[in-house]
Amino acid sequence: LAKEKGKNNYQFFTEDLNKKAIRKRQIKNALSLAIEQNEFKLFYQPQVDLQTGKLIGLEALLRWYPSFGNVSPVEFIPIAEETGLILPIGEWVIKEACLQIKKWKNQNRPKIKVSVNVSARQFKDKEFALKVKQILEDEKVDPSFIEFEITESVMLNAEEPSLLIREIKEMGIKVAIDDFGAGYSSLSVIKNVEIDTLKIDQSLLENVMQNSRMMSMLEAIIGVGKTLNTKIIVEGIETKEQLNLLNDFQIIGQGYFFSHPLPPEQLQDVWGRNWLQNE
Ligand code: C2E
Ligand code: MG
Ligand code: MG
Ligand code: MG
């Protein structure tokens, strides 16, 4: 009986693996056509100054609508990285963000910085800086409107990450470290380069509510940011309680409490409002 059961488990197991492999292949295939099929869209999530309640930035987050249903970036970005498709997709994202910045400028929106996620694979690409320069030139966008969000894996995998970061900063683009505090090497990552912004990973805030020592950790990281003169963004603010924990710090907040990421057509009301009122 045990043998029989083991065999069944094995069958379920391989079935499961097959399903996963099939899904992955489906995503790979569809992803390679997604740009020409117009299946991508950028959503934008507000970043709020927790002292003034003013909007100070928008993070561009990629959304994909293939014919077989929505796929989260959590699922398709790793596959895009693995296949190298992140190179054209990442270029599309930067270009699209630039086009959007121009549209807002034409609509006389206040000057708001747009954060664009850039993956380690893009950073490894020798042509990356050149491609970015080309896009900025073609679209004639003021680079100070743009911030690149990179994770520490960028610093660990690229050959000369600090050189590339310097080159990007010389273009006038800002640089943020995303998911700060989630990995193992956070401090070594920022010791050699001048980073504009540290984005504290949302896992820290999640844990603060359960574990009081995490609050000290969070304060310490905020202190590091102050010392290095970088802006601090705390990610994943979902509740009033979490916001209240952060009230006393001069930092920036981002999370569902303020707003989910929104498509450009739903951003009409984000510009002038005070985000700390009536929340
Ligand atoms: P990330 O850059 O750390 O982005 C933050 C993620 O947290 C986003 O998920 C956002 O929707 C989500 N989020 C925002 N506020 C909250 C909150 O209060 N609670 C919770 N639980 N989540 C919140 P999303 O859009 O699914 O993106 C996931 C990841 O995919 C991003 O993490 C980023 O690493 C990657 N990604 C998204 N767009 C791009 C892109 O254009 N290029 C690259 N290379 N990666 C991207
Ligand atoms: Mg990000
Ligand atoms: Mg993040
Ligand atoms: Mg992340």
Side-chain angles (χ1 to χ4, degrees):
L1 196 77
K3 208 173 173 187
E4 198 53 33
K5 206 175 162 198
K7 196 172 152 201
N8 278 339
N9 278 345
Y10 178 72
Q11 254 171 15
F12 283 127
F13 183 63
T14 47
E15 241 172 67
D16 204 44
L17 274 185
N18 277 336
K19 266 190 204 145
K20 275 190 189 144
I22 289 168
R23 168 120 177 132
K24 197 169 167 186
R25 167 118 47 80
Q26 183 184 33
I27 288 176
K28 269 187 196 171
N29 290 340
L31 208 51
S32 65
L33 299 169
I35 292 178
E36 54 184 271
Q37 311 261 35
N38 254 319
E39 290 169 350
F40 287 128
K41 193 171 168 110
L42 286 184
F43 276 40
Y44 297 88
Q45 188 178 34
Q47 300 172 330
V48 174
D49 182 322
L50 296 188
Q51 292 301 303
T52 63
K54 275 192 184 154
L55 182 76
I56 65 111
L58 291 164
E59 178 175 15
L61 291 157
L62 188 56
R63 297 293 178 261
W64 180 32
Y65 306 96
S67 55
F68 56 91
N70 300 356
V71 183
S72 156
V74 179
E75 188 176 9
F76 75 77
I77 292 285
I79 296 175
E81 284 170 347
E82 194 187 305
T83 55
L85 286 166
I86 194 67
L87 296 182
I89 293 172
E91 247 184 278
W92 182 91
V93 168
I94 295 170
K95 198 167 201 160
E96 183 66 18
C98 286
L99 291 174
Q100 189 59 63
I101 288 169
K102 283 205 297 197
K103 276 186 205 157
W104 285 329
K105 198 176 173 212
N106 290 335
Q107 295 166 8
N108 291 317
R109 300 297 185 194
K111 180 174 174 168
I112 294 292
K113 179 199 72 183
V114 173
S115 307
V116 175
N117 291 284
V118 176
S119 84
R121 182 77 184 249
Q122 288 171 272
F123 240 70
K124 261 200 204 169
D125 174 17
K126 297 243 172 356
E127 318 249 274
F128 181 68
L130 199 71
K131 285 174 183 166
V132 171
K133 257 181 209 149
Q134 194 62 54
I135 294 172
L136 288 176
E137 245 174 68
D138 290 348
E139 306 304 335
K140 299 187 180 56
V141 162
D142 177 352
S144 67
F145 275 91
I146 302 170
E147 181 162 81
F148 283 161
E149 293 192 2
I150 59 182
T151 58
E152 64 182 27
S153 66
V154 166
M155 309 298 255
L156 302 175
N157 290 319
E159 263 168 50
E160 289 282 7
S162 42
L163 278 185
L164 182 50
I165 288 179
R166 243 165 246 147
E167 197 175 350
I168 283 165
K169 293 199 43 133
E170 269 159 24
M171 287 182 220
I173 295 174
K174 297 186 176 65
V175 176
I177 301 293
D178 205 350
D179 304 342
F180 190 77
Y184 297 102
S185 53
S186 302
L187 285 178
S188 67
V189 153
I190 52 171
K191 73 179 179 224
N192 294 324
V193 264
E194 275 181 41
I195 296 299
D196 298 282
T197 308
L198 293 180
K199 293 193 76 175
I200 301 181
D201 192 66
Q202 57 191 52
S203 63
L204 260 106
L205 194 56
E206 267 166 41
N207 292 328
V208 161
M209 304 308 285
Q210 293 138 23
N211 176 350
S212 60
R213 289 175 59 192
M214 289 307 277
M215 192 62 211
S216 317
M217 286 267 296
L218 191 64
E219 282 186 49
I221 295 180
I222 292 170
V224 168
K226 296 267 178 240
T227 308
L228 297 177
N229 222 348
T230 69
K231 294 200 167 101
I232 300 274
I233 301 182
V234 174
E235 297 191 86
I237 301 177
E238 292 181 351
T239 65
K240 182 86 188 159
E241 289 71 42
Q242 289 175 327
L243 179 63
N244 286 341
L245 287 175
L246 303 169
N247 273 344
D248 295 338
F249 303 104
Q250 299 208 333
I251 56 175
I252 299 155
Q254 183 180 343
Y256 297 162
F257 177 75
F258 297 116
S259 169
H260 279 256
L262 297 170
E265 58 274 16
Q266 282 175 40
L267 287 169
Q268 262 80 351
D269 304 325
V270 306
W271 306 95
R273 83 181 245 220
N274 184 335
W275 288 87
L276 296 174
Q277 257 162 30
N278 321 314
E279 291 285 0

